[in-house]
Amino acid sequence: MIDVDTDLSSLRRHLESAGVDGYLIDDDATDSDQRYVSGFTAPDPFQTLVTDDGVHLLVSGLEYGRAKSEADAETITRRSAYDYRELVAEHGAYGGKIRTIAAFLEDHGVDSISVPRNFPTGTADGLREQGIDITLESDGIVEEIRAIKADEELEAIRESQRANEAAMACAEELIASADVDDDGTLIGEDGEPLTSERVTEEIEVTLLRHGCGLDDTIVACGADGADPHNRGSGPLEADELIVIDIFPRNKETGYHADMTRTFARGDPGEEARRRYDVTREAYEAALATVEAGVTGAAVHDVVCDVIEDAGYESLRSDPSTETGFIHSTGHGVGLDVHEQPSVSPAGGELEAGHVISIEPGLYNPDVGGVRIEDLVVVTEDGYENLTDYRVGLEPTN
Amino acid sequence: MIDVDTDLSSLRRHLESAGVDGYLIDDDATDSDQRYVSGFTAPDPFQTLVTDDGVHLLVSGLEYGRAKSEADAETITRRSAYDYRELVAEHGAYGGKIRTIAAFLEDHGVDSISVPRNFPTGTADGLREQGIDITLESDGIVEEIRAIKADEELEAIRESQRANEAAMACAEELIASADVDDDGTLIGEDGEPLTSERVTEEIEVTLLRHGCGLDDTIVACGADGADPHNRGSGPLEADELIVIDIFPRNKETGYHADMTRTFARGDPGEEARRRYDVTREAYEAALATVEAGVTGAAVHDVVCDVIEDAGYESLRSDPSTETGFIHSTGHGVGLDVHEQPSVSPAGGELEAGHVISIEPGLYNPDVGGVRIEDLVVVTEDGYENLTDYRVGLEPTN
């Protein structure tokens, strides 16, 4: 965990305008809002209450000691303080949990709360039955707060990005140094076909050696790469586009990085090269547009302009297209790999401190996929690129 | 993904008795109920509707192709079929999502649904405003269905457990083969202190090489090991208890394994050895009790009996104790590392096909922690132990 000086003032203004006593999160620390507001990680759900007078945690006895030393909270209370086990014995696991949370709220003088969109309906309906008034906070205020990165968060993201670059270099080298079999299959140093799975494994081991884990990696060749969410499988081929998208998460800080490069050994053909050039032009045009005050939608439009001008479809020119530019230009990156702000038709104004990906791409099963992605932090007059990795179709080692 | 022949009949009986048209999940595939019912994994939220006539998915255009080939569903519909982008343009991201889901429900003739406890309050309250009647399914019926493992699920868990054993062997060997410095610090082959972090890294690389990722690993020495959720940090020491708890997840199948061993180089002292023997006795007594028809609570009571008879506290003898046996005896393991059934005071009847951990432990900051954990599948007349790893305090290589 890194110690972030969180500014919850906009959340407290919301409490006042909504006329409620507190804001409640009921989740484990895989929920990034929970992790950010509580400053605490635990594998099982716990409750974080934000009131005018501070942040208050309700945790199991098992987590109490660690919460006391790690959490960023004014008070930390164990469930046993509200007779949790007795309540579970009387009302079952679900009824006991609800009554324990209700007692915790009462203890803090709270009888009305607002909750995030992903707040469990079970807890909401249960607390309503206990007489707690519940309002939905549907704007995602905590996500908005999280979108602006403090210096220590930027440092954490940079650290993840360094790991990302080491892993990408490892993957690029494997592809660059592979032999090419008569049938076009890339052959690794061990004489076996170089597969997506093999490259992914080396990427992930490299990330682990740099303190990062990850949920998934994309090493997708040929038609696999034309589906932006396909992770790729099987032997890599010469003369085909290979999309490599790596989004590691530092295991200690929890912050992500995100980067994509597209490579081809041999000659992927004129159309593939043209698509690479158009994608690169769109990527450069998007970057040139990024600055505080510009909307994510405007940055996305610039990408659509370049792509449509080159004669390809986008979801803007054809909302039902399955080829061309079929996703958003980018997204915020932080504790979540996809978070606010959005660089898409729905994207609002960018602000200094937003960390976003810029990742145009072009897809067609007959040609393959191209995607080029950097990670940048928005500044008042442009951006700082957090990515230090060459853009180029031909892999080098 | 493995192809599990899911039996949703108990969920459909619930629909009938609750008098609702369908059961709706709104989550990404990190929610194991979502993954299990839909047979699909996607990083962003999608909707799964279970009705009398089948399982129906609502996905983004980006996921549509993969969903068609991978999901276990009767129908798969893209959000664009309900004018998602237009609705988002008119009502914002949240309002657009809600109206799209409402249109999807209407399309399937559904105007009343039941939802799981962790269903997002934002979606529930939004759909209520759209006239959908929402009932909370508070028993966790899908978790109950998931608790009984089909043969292909057992096979997947066995595969994760083989990876776990390879990783544990790697960790044990590092500890067994370390030199001991004059001050008691274990020294690795490279001449550097052997730390929790170093052992964890080798465990995780071994797991990756076996196709498994993981969220966390515990390698906790001395007082660190006395806090069951402390992951451990810093140099490992001779004459101290070292708790190693590994819970990998196969990256392809999503199924977990879970195993703990406790080691000590040198002499951890008489009290630590006694605690090891008592924990082992409790572990063996618990295993001897496991069979279909016995409750998880009864298995837990057997562990408490052994531990209390030896003169240590448990949460049964003192609900506020912070030392002794301070957690449950075990939990179900599957797509979640902690799932149904519970082997705790709240644990109901075990059934054949339940996969559970048996993991008694004893904790005291002055002595350290001991925990011994195996993974077993409950059978009609006992259990099959899925764990193939020696129990013993002294590490060997």
Side-chain angles (χ1 to χ4, degrees):
Chain A
M1 292 293 291
I2 58 172
D3 194 13
V4 179
D5 193 15
T6 55
D7 175 5
L8 301 178
S9 54
S10 63
L11 186 61
R12 294 208 166 87
R13 283 195 299 276
H14 153 76
L15 295 183
E16 192 170 332
S17 71
V20 296
D21 302 329
Y23 178 83
L24 186 68
I25 303 176
D26 172 28
D27 215 323
D28 60 39
T30 61
D31 179 72
S32 295
D33 286 357
Q34 175 66 293
R35 181 172 179 151
Y36 183 86
V37 173
S38 68
F40 186 54
T41 62
D44 296 313
F46 59 99
Q47 290 75 38
T48 300
L49 172 68
V50 180
T51 63
D52 262 354
D53 67 354
V55 173
H56 309 282
L57 262 58
L58 177 64
V59 301
S60 73
L62 202 58
E63 301 291 1
Y64 183 62
R66 219 162 46 76
K68 275 195 297 190
S69 65
E70 293 178 13
D72 185 14
E74 272 65 36
T75 72
I76 297 162
T77 311
R78 284 193 287 187
R79 297 191 299 215
S80 59
Y82 306 113
D83 301 324
Y84 173 67
R85 280 176 185 266
E86 292 80 352
L87 288 169
V88 166
E90 190 174 342
H91 302 283
Y94 170 63
K97 171 183 169 167
I98 295 300
R99 285 166 174 80
T100 304
I101 297 173
F104 165 69
L105 294 177
E106 188 186 354
D107 198 18
H108 285 283
V110 166
D111 57 23
S112 60
I113 54 174
S114 77
V115 300
R117 285 173 300 212
N118 68 348
F119 190 84
T121 299
T123 310
D125 284 10
L127 289 176
R128 281 167 172 152
E129 272 178 33
Q130 298 295 314
I132 305 288
D133 191 43
I134 297 190
T135 305
L136 182 70
E137 192 290 283
S138 66
D139 292 333
I141 292 176
V142 176
E143 288 167 73
E144 280 171 25
I145 295 172
R146 280 171 44 214
I148 308 275
K149 267 64 178 181
D151 287 347
E152 16 341 342
E153 295 177 282
L154 288 176
E155 204 41 60
I157 292 169
R158 280 191 185 92
E159 191 183 347
S160 295
Q161 180 54 22
R162 293 297 86 80
N164 204 347
E165 288 154 11
M168 186 66 81
C170 168
E172 181 174 0
E173 162 137 22
L174 284 172
I175 292 168
S177 62
D179 289 325
V180 180
D181 210 354
D182 292 343
D183 67 357
T185 305
L186 299 190
I187 303 293
E189 271 190 1
D190 56 2
E192 297 293 316
L194 186 65
T195 59
S196 289
E197 291 83 352
R198 176 69 201 291
V199 175
T200 297
E201 185 175 319
E202 295 312 316
I203 287 170
E204 299 190 352
V205 168
T206 304
L207 292 175
L208 261 183
R209 298 288 187 200
H210 286 78
C212 288
L214 73 180
D215 296 328
D216 263 317
T217 301
I218 293 171
V219 179
C221 181
D224 280 357
D227 174 353
H229 276 200
N230 189 321
R231 287 112 177 129
S233 62
L236 302 177
E237 306 284 341
D239 309 329
E240 294 280 358
L241 295 165
I242 303 171
V243 178
I244 303 185
D245 189 348
I246 312 178
F247 31 104
R249 175 187 179 110
N250 183 283
K251 300 196 325 161
E252 197 58 34
T253 69
Y255 283 83
H256 289 82
D258 198 354
M259 173 170 64
T260 305
R261 290 294 183 265
T262 302
F263 302 108
R265 276 294 298 276
D267 181 8
E270 194 181 334
E271 174 58 22
R273 284 197 307 273
R274 178 167 189 264
R275 284 166 176 259
Y276 190 89
D277 292 340
V278 170
T279 302
R280 185 172 187 163
E281 192 190 330
Y283 146 91
E284 285 166 355
L287 285 176
T289 311
V290 169
E291 68 177 321
V294 169
T295 64
V299 176
H300 181 71
D301 272 333
V302 165
V303 169
C304 292
D305 289 345
V306 171
I307 280 168
E308 293 166 19
D309 286 351
Y312 299 108
E313 297 285 1
S314 77
L315 288 173
R316 186 180 71 175
S317 60
D318 175 5
S320 71
T321 184
E322 295 184 25
T323 62
F325 177 45
I326 52 176
H327 53 66
S328 301
T329 294
H331 51 82
V333 174
L335 286 172
D336 285 328
V337 67
H338 288 167
E339 60 177 45
Q340 288 301 314
S342 175
V343 189
S344 76
E349 238 177 60
L350 297 176
E351 296 180 49
H354 279 167
V355 170
I356 56 173
S357 69
I358 294 292
E359 49 177 315
L362 279 171
Y363 308 89
N364 185 308
D366 298 332
V367 188
V370 175
R371 186 163 64 255
I372 303 172
E373 175 185 25
D374 277 3
L375 190 63
V376 308
V377 53
V378 179
T379 60
E380 289 300 346
D381 57 358
Y383 66 93
E384 179 198 339
N385 199 325
L386 302 174
T387 317
D388 181 15
Y389 205 92
R390 186 182 64 90
V391 176
L393 184 57
E394 191 175 334
T396 62
N397 54 357
Chain B
M1 292 293 292
I2 58 173
D3 193 14
V4 179
D5 192 15
T6 54
D7 176 4
L8 301 178
S9 54
S10 62
L11 186 60
R12 293 208 166 87
R13 283 195 299 275
H14 153 77
L15 296 182
E16 191 171 334
S17 71
V20 296
D21 302 329
Y23 179 82
L24 186 68
I25 303 177
D26 172 26
D27 215 324
D28 62 37
T30 60
D31 179 71
S32 296
D33 287 357
Q34 174 67 292
R35 180 173 182 151
Y36 183 86
V37 173
S38 68
F40 186 54
T41 62
D44 297 313
F46 61 99
Q47 290 75 39
T48 300
L49 172 68
V50 180
T51 63
D52 261 353
D53 67 354
V55 173
H56 309 282
L57 261 58
L58 177 64
V59 302
S60 73
L62 201 59
E63 302 291 1
Y64 183 61
R66 219 162 44 76
K68 275 195 296 188
S69 65
E70 294 179 13
D72 186 14
E74 272 65 36
T75 72
I76 297 163
T77 311
R78 285 193 286 185
R79 296 191 300 214
S80 58
Y82 306 113
D83 300 324
Y84 173 67
R85 280 175 185 266
E86 293 79 353
L87 288 170
V88 166
E90 190 175 342
H91 302 283
Y94 170 64
K97 171 182 170 169
I98 295 300
R99 284 167 176 81
T100 304
I101 297 173
F104 165 71
L105 294 176
E106 188 186 354
D107 197 18
H108 286 282
V110 167
D111 58 21
S112 60
I113 54 173
S114 77
V115 300
R117 285 174 300 213
N118 68 349
F119 190 84
T121 299
T123 311
D125 284 11
L127 289 176
R128 281 167 172 152
E129 273 179 32
Q130 297 295 315
I132 305 289
D133 190 44
I134 297 192
T135 305
L136 182 71
E137 192 290 285
S138 65
D139 293 333
I141 292 176
V142 177
E143 288 167 73
E144 279 171 26
I145 295 172
R146 281 173 43 216
I148 307 274
K149 268 65 180 182
D151 286 347
E152 30 312 6
E153 295 178 283
L154 287 176
E155 203 41 59
I157 292 169
R158 281 191 184 92
E159 192 184 345
S160 295
Q161 178 56 19
R162 294 296 87 79
N164 204 347
E165 288 153 11
M168 185 67 82
C170 167
E172 180 173 0
E173 162 138 19
L174 284 172
I175 292 167
S177 63
D179 288 327
V180 180
D181 210 354
D182 290 344
D183 68 356
T185 305
L186 299 190
I187 304 293
E189 270 189 1
D190 57 1
E192 297 293 316
L194 186 65
T195 60
S196 289
E197 291 83 351
R198 176 69 200 289
V199 174
T200 297
E201 185 175 319
E202 296 311 317
I203 287 170
E204 298 190 354
V205 168
T206 304
L207 292 175
L208 261 184
R209 299 287 187 202
H210 286 79
C212 287
L214 73 179
D215 297 327
D216 263 317
T217 301
I218 294 171
V219 179
C221 180
D224 280 357
D227 174 353
H229 276 200
N230 188 321
R231 288 114 177 126
S233 63
L236 302 176
E237 307 284 340
D239 309 329
E240 294 280 357
L241 295 165
I242 303 171
V243 178
I244 303 185
D245 189 349
I246 311 178
F247 31 104
R249 174 187 180 111
N250 184 284
K251 300 196 326 159
E252 199 55 34
T253 68
Y255 284 83
H256 288 83
D258 198 354
M259 173 171 65
T260 306
R261 290 294 183 264
T262 302
F263 301 110
R265 277 293 298 275
D267 181 9
E270 192 180 335
E271 176 57 21
R273 285 197 305 275
R274 178 167 190 265
R275 283 165 176 259
Y276 191 89
D277 292 342
V278 170
T279 301
R280 184 173 189 162
E281 190 189 332
Y283 146 91
E284 287 167 353
L287 285 176
T289 312
V290 169
E291 68 176 322
V294 170
T295 65
V299 176
H300 182 71
D301 271 333
V302 165
V303 169
C304 292
D305 288 345
V306 171
I307 280 168
E308 293 166 18
D309 286 352
Y312 299 108
E313 296 286 0
S314 78
L315 288 173
R316 185 180 73 175
S317 61
D318 174 6
S320 71
T321 184
E322 295 183 25
T323 63
F325 177 45
I326 52 177
H327 53 66
S328 301
T329 293
H331 51 81
V333 174
L335 286 172
D336 286 328
V337 67
H338 288 166
E339 60 177 45
Q340 289 300 315
S342 175
V343 188
S344 76
E349 238 177 61
L350 297 176
E351 297 179 49
H354 279 165
V355 170
I356 55 172
S357 70
I358 294 293
E359 49 177 316
L362 279 171
Y363 307 91
N364 186 308
D366 299 332
V367 188
V370 176
R371 185 163 65 256
I372 303 172
E373 174 185 25
D374 277 3
L375 190 63
V376 308
V377 53
V378 179
T379 61
E380 289 299 346
D381 57 358
Y383 65 94
E384 178 198 341
N385 199 325
L386 303 174
T387 317
D388 180 17
Y389 206 93
R390 184 184 64 92
V391 176
L393 185 57
E394 192 175 336
T396 62
N397 53 357

